[in-house]
């Protein structure tokens, strides 16, 4: 009989590929103490605004240490309803159309578990956030990647969607603005995608976690388009806009029967999100908007800086309309994304993530996060210039 | 502090250490609300040339963000040449909006700064016919010991921040100079015991070193 502990690991988990991010993380970790500038991060450099932290401390002082309702504190759900209505023009009832989750991560998992039968096909645009495909595989669904292209600034098009569609597709995962490309869709493109979803009766899981960080005009949620709220689960959270990654708090909004299905999974697996994080989230929604605007302004200027520098250096880089990621094309250097990232790290000590970590359609690109101080960004760009052009 | 491309000359000549913060004339902001209640008392001009502020001068914006960038760095971030940045700064100085540089120091740890004692003094005065509070305030403000001087609404008229090398020196300033100025009705001096936050900088602790992961999804 085998004595390998691995014999107990479930087959579909054993079959999950290792994250490309993980490999790179280990490579960077080996260079500890070597003045590495990391553009490989995936979260804000800002610490959570003080008034939000202080509200959490105050909640603890008042003894807020209990479980909350499975759906989350009603005060928070009311605040979420108000916020989503104001910023995304979609109305949800706090009583039964909103669920507070442990980050968008849990909300995505709940949605996959609640809506995906074994073998159901789930479409997602790629390059994409590293968790999407594994979340589908974990519920024995079948992922269907829809490519997005540099020529479209990585906006998803209805044409690509139609080309990738096969009978049996049930769900579409959307992430606009997109990690890792910063791609978004114009309202016209979004309308075509919405029409396609209605035509094929697709349920949309719309992860809009970067929506506040839109730099070139307002963000439009697909849920706000005609006939879409009833087939969309709107996923959002506090990690990016409010600089609250470590709090692990997010939410999902949608039709009551669908939220109820997600709630069933949530109540048996998570019970509720942390009450302290919920209290902090309530403060964020009530008084945090000024902080969001201040941080967005910084990201905006940083974006303009790195995009300009990347193009000057000779890396073709579109200006991401949202998120805090730039996704330059490194092929003009004659290197693959993997070679480029490893070479840049070893020779100039700048970490970026190879685009293929986000799926094969990221080939030829790297992801550079600009949620870092001006000084570091300028230094990193100077080093990249030296790496690419051997100057100075 | 980086020594290359430091803006202006006064910054390094005067100070070799610490973080400098630009001094910007508060009434230069279009934010009327902040001084609005006492506008008449202060006699600030009603309208300022709005063009400098809407949208806000990018160089000024970067200075105010409190990041200590060199001119070269400001130029990169603002997408300008260094010469253009210098021109912006010159203009701000000419307009008397940007008044000069000062380092922000933890004075309790820097004996060389020669500031052992700081005090806040509330002063009640009899306004003069004709000059109101202005002549009086301008006279007080000229003393070297006075760091800042404000006309206030409420229970007293002027609020003065003074500094000095010793308690005796500050006390002497109050008793010999300030209180003897004609028109002073009373002074109330509060010595500062300990500083927790100086112009936006937390003195003790602040944030712990970042634990942000270098590579994350
Ligand atoms: C597209 C996307 N969705 C979800 C998440 C996870 O968000 P949360 O912290 O709310 O779980 C991330 C984090 O990097 C992300 O980039």
């Amino acid at each position: 009989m085998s004595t390998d502990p691995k014999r107990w690991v479930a087959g579909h988990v054993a079959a999950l590929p290792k994250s490309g991010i993980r490999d790179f993380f280990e490579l960077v970790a080996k260079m500890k103490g070597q003045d590495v500038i990391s553009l490989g991060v995936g979260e804000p450099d800002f610490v959570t605004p003080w008034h939000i932290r202080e509200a959490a401390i105050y909640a603890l002082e008042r003894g807020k240490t209990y479980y909350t309702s499975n759906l989350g504190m009603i005060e928070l759900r009311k605040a979420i309803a108000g916020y989503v209505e104001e910023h995304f023009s979609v109305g949800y009832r706090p009583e039964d159309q909103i669920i507070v989750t442990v980050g968008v991560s849990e909300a995505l998992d709940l949605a996959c578990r609640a809506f995906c039968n074994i073998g159901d096909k789930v479409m997602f645009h790629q390059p994409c956030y590293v968790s999407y495909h594994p979340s589908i595989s974990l519920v024995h669904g079948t992922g269907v990647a829809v490519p997005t292209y540099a020529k479209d600034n990585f906006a998803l098009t209805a044409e690509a969607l139609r080309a990738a569609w096969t009978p049996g597709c049930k769900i579409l995962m959307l992430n606009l603005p997109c990690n890792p490309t910063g791609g978004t869709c114009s309202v016209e493109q979004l309308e075509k995608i919405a029409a396609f979803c209605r035509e094929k009766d697709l349920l949309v899981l719309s992860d809009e976690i970067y929506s506040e960080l839109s730099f070139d005009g307002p963000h439009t949620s697909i849920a706000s388009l005609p006939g879409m709220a009833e087939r969309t689960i709107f996923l959002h959270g506090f990690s990016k806009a409010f600089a609250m990654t470590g709090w692990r708090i997010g939410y999902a909004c949608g039709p009551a029967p669908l939220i109820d299905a997600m709630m069933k999974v949530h109540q048996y697996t998570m019970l509720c999100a942390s009450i302290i994080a919920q209290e902090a989230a309530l403060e964020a929604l009530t008084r945090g908007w000024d902080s969001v605007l201040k941080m967005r302004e910084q990201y905006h200027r940083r974006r303009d800086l790195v995009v300009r520098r990347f193009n000057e250096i000779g890396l073709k880089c579109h200006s991401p309309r949202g998120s805090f990621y730039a996704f330059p094309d490194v092929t003009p250097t004659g290197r693959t994304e993997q070679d480029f990232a490893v070479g840049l790290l070893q020779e100039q000590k700048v970490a970026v993530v190879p685009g293929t970590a986000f799926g094969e359609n990221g080939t030829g690109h790297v992801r550079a996060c600009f949620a870092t101080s001006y000084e570091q960004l300028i230094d990193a760009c100077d080093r990249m210039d030296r790496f690419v052009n051997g100057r100075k | 502090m980086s020594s290359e491309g430091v803006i202006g000359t006064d910054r390094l000549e005067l100070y070799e250490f610490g973080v400098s913060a630009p001094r910007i004339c508060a009434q230069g902001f279009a934010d009327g609300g902040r001084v609005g209640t006492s506008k008449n008392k202060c006699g600030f001009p009603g309208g300022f040339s709005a063009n400098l502020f809407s949208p806000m001068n990018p160089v000024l914006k970067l200075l105010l963000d409190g990041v200590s960038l060199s001119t070269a760095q400001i130029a990169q971030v603002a997408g300008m040449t260094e010469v253009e940045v210098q021109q912006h700064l010159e203009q701000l100085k000419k307009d008397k909006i940007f008044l000069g540089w000062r380092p922000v120091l933890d004075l309790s740890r820097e004996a060389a700064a020669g500031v052992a004692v700081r005090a806040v003094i509330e002063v009640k005065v009899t306004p003069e016919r004709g000059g109101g509070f202005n002549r009086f305030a301008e006279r007080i403000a000229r003393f070297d010991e006075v760091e800042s001087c404000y006309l206030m609404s409420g229970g007293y008229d002027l609020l003065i921040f003074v500094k000095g090398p010793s308690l005796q020196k500050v006390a002497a300033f109050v008793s010999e100079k300030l209180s003897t100025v004609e028109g002073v009705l009373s002074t109330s001096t509060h010595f500062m015991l300990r500083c927790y936050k100086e112009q936006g900088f937390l003195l003790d602790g602040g944030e712990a070193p970042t634990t942000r992961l270098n590579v994350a999804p």
Side-chain angles (χ1 to χ4, degrees):
Chain A
M1 201 167 60
S2 163
T3 54
D4 184 356
K6 277 191 187 149
R7 69 189 182 281
W8 286 309
V9 176
H12 68 296
V13 172
L16 279 182
K18 217 168 122 201
S19 155
I21 291 251
R22 190 75 222 162
D23 292 343
F24 214 71
F25 178 83
E26 274 152 27
L27 207 61
V28 176
K30 278 200 201 110
M31 300 186 62
K32 213 170 165 202
Q34 286 193 46
D35 179 33
V36 173
I37 300 180
S38 184
L39 309 184
V41 294
E43 57 184 324
D45 54 329
F46 302 108
V47 15
T48 308
W50 173 249
H51 69 98
I52 297 174
R53 290 186 271 159
E54 203 270 341
I57 295 168
Y58 183 57
L60 275 179
E61 284 174 345
R62 282 178 306 150
K64 298 248 178 162
T65 59
Y66 298 98
Y67 291 134
T68 71
S69 136
N70 292 135
L71 288 175
M73 295 174 349
I74 185 68
E75 302 86 337
L76 175 57
R77 280 181 279 141
K78 282 183 182 159
I80 290 170
Y83 183 83
V84 174
E85 170 101 56
E86 181 183 343
H87 293 271
F88 301 90
S89 315
V90 202
Y92 292 104
R93 277 194 309 271
E95 294 74 23
D96 58 358
Q97 296 186 322
I98 297 174
I99 180 170
V100 178
T101 59
V102 180
V104 169
S105 303
E106 195 219 349
L108 269 167
D109 182 45
L110 292 181
C112 287
R113 295 207 231 183
F115 308 131
C116 193
N117 295 300
I118 295 174
D120 279 353
K121 290 181 191 166
V122 181
M123 307 180 81
F124 58 95
H125 51 100
Q126 197 205 52
C128 66
Y129 180 47
V130 295
S131 298
Y132 287 178
H133 202 171
S135 310
I136 301 162
S137 305
L138 281 171
V139 296
H140 307 280
T142 305
V144 178
V146 185
T148 60
Y149 301 101
K151 69 171 171 54
D152 305 319
N153 292 344
F154 293 98
L156 172 65
T157 63
E159 294 73 39
L161 208 51
R162 191 174 291 279
W165 184 87
T166 52
C169 283
K170 174 176 174 185
I171 299 173
L172 169 65
M173 286 180 167
L174 276 185
N175 174 218
L176 305 167
C178 173
N179 172 8
T181 63
T184 58
C185 289
S186 66
V187 177
E188 298 73 47
Q189 283 169 321
L190 207 58
E191 276 166 350
K192 283 190 199 161
I193 292 166
F196 180 79
C197 294
R198 288 191 301 263
E199 177 192 326
K200 301 294 185 195
D201 195 26
L202 294 176
L203 170 67
V204 180
L205 307 182
S206 186
D207 173 354
E208 305 188 26
I209 194 162
Y210 293 101
S211 55
E212 287 89 346
L213 309 181
S214 295
F215 308 120
D216 306 320
H219 168 85
T220 304
S221 172
I222 193 162
S224 70
L225 299 181
M228 290 309 290
E230 62 244 43
R231 61 172 64 253
T232 302
I233 303 290
F234 173 85
L235 306 170
H236 203 21
F238 298 84
S239 288
K240 313 294 171 165
F242 293 94
M244 293 177 66
T245 45
W247 297 83
R248 312 306 307 120
I249 184 97
Y251 53 93
C253 309
L258 300 184
I259 294 300
D260 190 54
M262 288 171 69
M263 204 276 277
K264 263 195 200 162
V265 183
H266 177 73
Q267 73 181 357
Y268 293 127
T269 54
M270 196 62 71
L271 234 168
C272 67
S274 148
I275 187 169
I276 303 160
Q278 292 193 49
E279 288 280 350
L282 180 57
E283 171 70 17
L285 292 182
T286 320
R287 276 176 284 270
W289 187 245
D290 285 350
S291 310
V292 172
L293 290 183
K294 262 190 221 151
M295 292 188 273
R296 175 167 79 191
E297 194 183 334
Q298 294 254 344
Y299 294 133
H300 191 161
R301 259 187 265 132
R302 294 165 178 188
R303 175 198 72 165
D304 290 350
L305 167 68
V306 299
V307 170
R308 193 180 64 243
R309 286 296 307 271
F310 286 175
N311 282 300
E312 283 167 9
I313 289 167
L315 305 173
K316 256 189 7 225
C317 185
H318 75 281
S319 185
R321 293 170 55 85
S323 82
F324 37 58
Y325 307 108
F327 203 60
D329 178 359
V330 299
T331 50
T333 65
R335 295 173 191 253
T336 67
E337 69 290 336
Q338 191 70 28
D339 279 357
F340 182 93
V342 172
L344 180 63
L345 180 62
Q346 283 171 349
E347 288 177 34
Q348 294 291 339
K349 316 230 179 323
V350 175
V352 293
V353 182
T356 34
F358 308 96
E360 68 206 39
N361 296 307
T363 304
H365 292 259
V366 296
R367 188 191 74 177
C369 174
F370 49 82
T372 290
S373 72
Y374 296 127
E375 285 99 327
Q376 293 244 312
L377 288 175
I378 291 170
D379 193 356
C381 289
D382 291 345
R383 295 184 192 193
M384 287 168 83
D385 195 2
R386 260 173 267 148
F387 177 68
V388 173
N389 300 311
R391 270 194 259 117
K392 288 172 211 163
Chain B
M1 184 168 37
S2 119
S3 59
E4 44 129 359
V6 169
I7 307 156
T9 47
D10 43 355
R11 184 170 172 188
L12 271 198
E13 271 169 24
L14 287 171
Y15 306 101
E16 307 265 352
F17 46 83
V19 190
S20 30
R23 289 308 169 96
I24 287 155
C25 179
Q27 66 262 47
F29 293 103
D31 179 2
R34 292 202 31 211
V35 291
T37 48
S38 46
K39 212 175 253 165
N40 292 335
K41 202 173 172 185
C42 299
F44 287 156
F48 305 99
S49 63
N51 51 356
L52 251 173
F53 296 98
S54 48
M56 194 186 239
N57 180 320
V59 174
L60 184 52
K61 189 91 189 78
L62 286 169
L63 293 179
L64 281 176
D65 280 350
V67 282
S68 44
L69 298 176
S70 66
T71 10
Q73 288 170 326
I74 288 186
Q76 282 222 21
V77 177
M80 302 177 177
T81 65
E82 277 187 67
V83 174
E84 284 168 335
V85 172
Q86 285 291 4
Q87 283 168 349
H88 269 284
L89 287 170
E90 289 309 318
Q91 190 59 45
L92 287 166
K93 279 189 184 172
K94 252 192 229 147
D95 295 342
K96 295 213 160 72
I97 291 166
F98 175 31
L99 303 178
W101 295 101
R102 281 285 185 282
V104 182
L105 302 177
D106 180 349
L107 288 168
S108 68
R109 303 174 52 154
E110 186 43 72
V115 183
V117 179
R118 289 202 286 171
V120 194
I121 309 172
E122 302 165 1
V123 188
K124 284 187 189 164
V125 296
T126 327
E128 283 179 323
R129 192 177 177 89
F133 293 99
N134 288 351
R135 267 222 339 234
F136 185 86
E138 281 158 17
R139 185 165 166 197
I140 299 275
R142 282 172 189 261
F143 285 105
D144 284 346
E145 289 87 345
V146 175
E147 279 191 303
S148 311
C149 175
Y150 307 93
L151 181 61
M152 308 294 287
S153 65
Y156 53 90
D157 303 305
L158 292 180
L159 185 65
I160 299 172
F161 287 70
V162 300
K163 61 175 176 10
S166 68
L167 205 67
Q168 286 75 12
K169 285 261 160 52
V170 173
F173 168 74
V174 177
S175 60
E176 292 165 22
K177 301 287 183 207
L178 187 62
S179 57
T180 59
V181 173
E182 170 121 25
V184 169
L185 296 174
S186 72
T187 62
S188 174
T189 304
H190 311 272
F191 286 99
M192 295 184 191
L193 300 182
R194 180 169 174 183
C195 178
Y196 294 90
K197 188 175 189 180
E198 186 73 54
Q199 301 191 46
F201 292 89
L202 289 169
L203 293 201
D204 283 318
E207 308 302 349
T210 181
T211 53
R212 189 166 67 139
L213 301 176
N214 269 333
V215 180

